[in-house]
Amino acid sequence: MDNHLLEFFQHEVGLQCKFMLRAANEVNNSRQKNDVEGVFYGLQSILSASANISKALWGQGGKAKRVAERKRLRDSLQMSDDSPLRPTDMRNHFEHFDDRLERWWQTSTHKNYVDMNLGPRNAIHGLAKSDSFRNFDPQSNVLCFGDDEVNIQALIDEAQALLLRIRAGPNPFRV
């Protein structure tokens, strides 16, 4: 990867980290106001920025060629392949909500539908995980969608650490 291209990628990753942190503030502010839509708006923004970081660092879809091409970028930012920022499954659930809804309709036994729930996932007894769409537990910071879950705090912590490394580095495009 060319040095200038590397700098542009580093700048973009830093910008997406800042977007994640702004979105985290939105989640926290919305929680204080009991604004459920605001909470999920912020969570969706966190997931989008996280996926943008993942695509920059590992390429889209994890294609081996892109993963290899982006190794210099990951090395320059001290990013390990087991970073919580790498998986994009949760973002895909939010982005492809229409597909998830159609699949649920075709496969759900009881057609129970729970969405945009704030609280522990097991608070609703007898609910199949497949009938639960967006669920965020503010106490554990775990966001669930069906069988998948992600710790939002782990994403935020990783983005904060990454942003600090970018700001400390030689990149002329300070973020």
Side-chain angles (χ1 to χ4, degrees), residues 47 89-90 92-98 100-101 103-104 115 121 129-130 132-136 142-150:
L47 295 174
D89 293 343
M90 188 62 69
N92 291 342
H93 291 314
F94 277 63
E95 186 171 312
H96 303 288
F97 194 87
D98 59 325
R100 305 315 188 259
L101 196 55
R103 185 179 323 135
W104 165 79
D115 188 29
R121 174 184 231 173
K129 284 183 178 180
S130 59
S132 178
F133 286 70
R134 295 168 285 205
N135 187 92
F136 180 62
V142 172
L143 176 65
C144 301
F145 194 113
D147 290 328
D148 290 334
E149 61 181 50
V150 65

Side-chain angles (χ1 to χ4, degrees), residues 8-174:
F8 289 127
F9 266 100
Q10 290 169 337
H11 175 73
E12 183 59 29
V13 168
L15 185 62
Q16 294 300 320
C17 288
K18 288 172 64 175
F19 288 169
M20 282 183 70
L21 300 178
R22 283 186 136 185
N25 284 333
E26 176 67 29
V27 170
N28 291 331
N29 292 337
S30 294
R31 280 182 52 207
Q32 290 176 356
K33 295 185 274 185
N34 293 317
D35 176 5
V36 175
E37 286 183 9
V39 169
F40 283 94
Y41 171 81
L43 290 168
Q44 184 166 309
S45 297
I46 289 170
L47 295 174
S48 291
S50 176
N52 288 340
I53 293 168
S54 178
K55 290 184 287 186
L57 294 172
W58 290 278
Q60 192 164 347
K63 296 178 180 133
K65 180 182 177 193
R66 290 277 186 210
V67 172
E69 289 173 353
R70 305 284 169 80
K71 182 170 179 4
R72 182 165 179 232
L73 173 63
R74 290 191 307 279
D75 289 347
S76 77
L77 298 174
Q78 301 164 21
M79 291 298 297
S80 68
D81 285 339
D82 64 351
S83 169
L85 293 171
R86 187 173 185 177
T88 58
D89 293 343
M90 188 62 69
R91 187 285 318 252
N92 291 342
H93 291 314
F94 277 63
E95 186 171 312
H96 303 288
F97 194 87
D98 59 325
D99 292 334
R100 305 315 188 259
L101 196 55
E102 286 179 348
R103 185 179 323 135
W104 165 79
W105 187 254
Q106 294 168 356
T107 62
S108 176
T109 304
H110 300 291
K111 302 289 190 267
N112 292 321
Y113 177 81
V114 175
D115 188 29
M116 291 181 51
N117 184 50
L118 289 178
R121 174 184 231 173
N122 61 0
I124 303 172
H125 300 285
L127 182 69
K129 284 183 178 180
S130 59
D131 289 337
S132 178
F133 286 70
R134 295 168 285 205
N135 187 92
F136 180 62
D137 183 348
Q139 297 305 313
S140 65
N141 286 310
V142 172
L143 176 65
C144 301
F145 194 113
D147 290 328
D148 290 334
E149 61 181 50
V150 65
N151 186 306
I152 295 298
Q153 190 60 54
L155 295 178
I156 298 303
D157 291 347
E158 185 83 345
Q160 287 175 321
L162 179 54
L163 186 57
L164 286 174
R165 289 193 300 272
I166 291 170
R167 286 179 173 162
N171 188 336
F173 303 104
R174 293 279 179 226

